[in-house]
Amino acid sequence: MFCGCRVRKNSLIRTQLPLIPELVKVLTKRFGHGHFTSFGRRITNPKSLFANYSTRTSSSIPHQYKIVFIGNDSFSLSSLIELTKLLSPENVSVVVASENNIVGKYAKKHNNKIYLWNDFKTPEFGDKLSVEGYSFDFGVVASFGYLIPARVINRFPLGILNIHGSLLPRWRGASPIAHSIMFGDPETGISIMKIAPHRFDVGPVLHTKKVPLDPHIREPDLRNLLADLGAGALIEVVKNLPNFLNNPIYQDERLATKAPKLVPEMADVDWTSKTAVDVYRLYLALYGTLKLKTTFNGRKVDLDEIELPLFIKTDGKNINYDSKRMNSEVSLDELPPESVPGQIVCIRNVLLVRCCDPTWVVVKKVKLGVKWMNATDFKNGFLSKGKMPKNVERKFEYIISTPILKVNQAKS
């Protein structure tokens, strides 16, 4: 179904990337004038469907666009704010999972029309919108978390744009920002793509923006940076939408990598297979979502405030770390000449844990049970003489089997 009419499978209209002049010709030839509708809106002239979509480059603001924005969180909000400024609230309807999330609250405050996703996605609701005369040109989705069905995509003559937090086809999936940090990408960015039905993040890319990835950045900070970058990129696309729609870049499936949803098992640290850099990146990637976990004498332990010691200057990919953001309190020659993965050493109240290569990582906070401890408290409470049975190694251990991160999903 397109523009209110059924079309053949081989029709140009089904490509979802129509060249506008050719599309107008097809509609005029097949239906004549005044014989089809666009989402409940009767069109008396096929050219009027694209009256606001000039194919020449233009920086003019397309006030006449009617769109639906679909989003749930703070990453989404940046784009909604900029779209509302550009097009005005009456031209930007909002779809949310709940009116009480940050996007729903903003929409209420600024008088955007709000739909709930559980209603909006149904075929009956689409029919209701058409009967009531509501018409939209295209949709925008950002960090929504739900697969958009084909019946919803087909309601929009120009399709639905997605603001994705990676440089596609790298890191398709629910957590691209965390994975770009976890695997040490030298750069990341935003992809504005046109969504396709049935699968996440596989549609053609219309626009990208790149930024270097700070090797010390935490996921929430990178998320905020990319949210602003994505909002700016989206506005560039909307201001010149026909040009971007007519120049798509199709994704190379050979370069695709997956960024699955973050789950608790990802936070388990295997000291026998991870370097200090791996552990540090994992901490940065999961920051604000999950605490790193290990065990000590059979007890579950949470780890926080992870740092790299200054004597680790670069990793295997020659990424330089900022010495001002590294721990300089311990030198390499103070560490024991022989050690095993997970071994704990406390030097001048700095807690270090041996990783696999061998490298060492600094852990500034440890939690057993409900109590968070600094290095000194942990040393006095659990590592000091008399606190541990004889012949028991002072080390953290990895017990829970976690296959998720043992296989590198990135292609180096």
Side-chain angles (χ1 to χ4, degrees):
M1 182 72 70
F2 184 90
C3 298
C5 298
R6 297 189 180 278
V7 297
R8 293 189 305 268
K9 290 186 177 181
N10 62 350
S11 171
L12 173 65
I13 301 173
R14 288 185 58 88
T15 66
Q16 289 203 354
L17 286 169
L19 294 175
I20 291 169
E22 282 77 2
L23 179 56
V24 171
K25 291 178 183 177
V26 169
L27 292 173
T28 304
K29 181 178 179 180
R30 185 165 181 188
F31 301 109
H33 295 273
H35 295 288
F36 60 96
T37 62
S38 173
F39 210 142
R41 175 176 57 187
R42 186 171 179 81
I43 304 298
T44 57
N45 182 351
K47 292 183 180 180
S48 68
L49 181 60
F50 297 99
N52 301 317
Y53 313 142
S54 171
T55 55
R56 62 182 174 82
T57 301
S58 173
S59 60
S60 61
I61 299 174
H63 289 290
Q64 290 77 17
Y65 282 138
K66 296 280 188 179
I67 75 165
V68 171
F69 182 86
I70 307 171
N72 274 331
D73 60 13
S74 59
F75 183 87
S76 310
L77 183 61
S78 297
S79 293
L80 175 59
I81 290 171
E82 295 305 315
L83 278 173
T84 301
K85 289 178 182 177
L86 181 71
L87 302 174
S88 77
E90 58 266 26
N91 290 325
V92 182
S93 298
V94 175
V95 173
V96 290
S98 168
E99 292 186 27
N100 295 321
N101 64 35
I102 191 170
V103 173
K105 290 177 180 179
Y106 176 89
K108 279 184 181 179
K109 182 177 179 180
H110 292 83
N111 298 316
N112 300 77
K113 190 171 183 60
I114 300 174
Y115 303 108
L116 292 178
W117 174 243
N118 283 339
D119 296 327
F120 190 82
K121 68 181 179 180
T122 64
E124 295 79 13
F125 199 80
D127 295 339
K128 178 182 176 183
L129 289 174
S130 295
V131 170
E132 294 178 355
Y134 287 103
S135 60
F136 304 105
D137 299 304
F138 63 92
V140 174
V141 61
S143 189
F144 188 55
Y146 297 91
L147 192 65
I148 310 295
R151 64 175 176 270
V152 174
I153 299 173
N154 292 338
R155 293 177 191 172
F156 301 92
L158 298 179
I160 300 179
L161 308 182
N162 178 34
I163 308 156
H164 186 77
S166 76
L167 299 174
L168 291 170
R170 189 162 177 80
W171 304 130
R172 294 173 175 173
S175 57
I177 299 172
H179 278 77
S180 65
I181 296 173
M182 200 181 301
F183 287 91
D185 290 357
E187 65 178 6
T188 186
I190 284 289
S191 300
I192 307 295
M193 57 167 291
K194 195 170 184 184
I195 68 170
H198 312 306
R199 292 174 61 195
F200 282 110
D201 308 325
V202 299
V205 175
L206 306 183
H207 192 30
T208 59
K209 288 282 189 179
K210 297 181 181 181
V211 290
L213 202 158
D214 179 350
H216 296 283
I217 197 167
R218 295 171 174 175
E219 197 274 351
D221 298 322
L222 181 57
R223 174 173 289 270
N224 291 337
L225 187 156
L226 293 180
D228 292 339
L229 186 71
L234 175 65
I235 296 305
E236 291 179 17
V237 171
V238 173
K239 284 184 175 181
N240 197 6
L241 186 58
N243 182 60
F244 284 103
L245 288 177
N246 285 302
N247 293 280
I249 299 173
Y250 294 93
Q251 297 185 42
D252 187 342
E253 292 295 324
R254 298 170 298 176
L255 302 178
T257 54
K258 294 181 179 180
K261 182 180 178 180
L262 300 179
V263 294
E265 291 79 11
M266 288 182 172
D268 299 323
V269 181
D270 184 353
W271 304 103
T272 65
S273 66
K274 292 191 181 301
T275 68
V277 170
D278 292 335
V279 174
Y280 181 58
R281 287 174 176 166
L282 186 63
Y283 161 72
L284 296 174
L286 301 183
Y287 186 87
T289 302
L290 298 166
K291 300 293 185 186
L292 298 196
K293 298 183 182 300
T294 187
T295 61
F296 180 73
N297 288 342
R299 298 179 64 182
K300 294 181 180 180
V301 178
D302 289 353
L303 309 175
D304 199 8
E305 296 189 18
I306 311 294
E307 296 178 348
L308 288 177
L310 185 59
F311 54 76
I312 297 179
K313 296 293 180 65
T314 62
D315 69 358
K317 294 181 180 179
N318 297 315
I319 297 175
N320 293 316
Y321 291 93
D322 182 356
S323 60
K324 294 180 181 179
R325 291 189 278 178
M326 302 177 77
N327 191 293
S328 59
E329 300 174 67
V330 179
S331 61
L332 186 59
D333 56 14
E334 294 180 276
L335 294 169
E338 295 185 3
S339 58
V340 295
Q343 184 170 330
I344 305 166
V345 173
C346 198
I347 302 173
R348 291 189 304 281
N349 299 320
V350 176
L351 191 71
L352 295 103
V353 185
R354 157 81 144 77
C355 302
C356 77
D357 44 357
T359 54
W360 297 77
V361 71
V362 175
V363 179
K364 302 191 79 172
K365 284 191 175 181
V366 177
K367 178 183 175 185
L368 279 82
V370 297
K371 183 180 179 181
W372 281 101
M373 294 168 280
N374 59 26
T376 302
D377 292 338
F378 181 70
K379 175 185 176 182
N380 293 337
F382 295 92
L383 301 180
S384 298
K385 197 171 183 179
K387 297 291 183 179
M388 293 184 64
K390 292 182 179 179
N391 302 321
V392 174
E393 288 186 301
R394 291 169 170 80
K395 70 174 188 175
F396 291 136
E397 292 184 305
Y398 172 75
I399 295 177
I400 302 173
S401 177
T402 310
I404 296 172
L405 294 179
K406 284 188 175 181
V407 177
N408 193 333
Q409 300 169 54
K411 298 177 181 178
S412 302

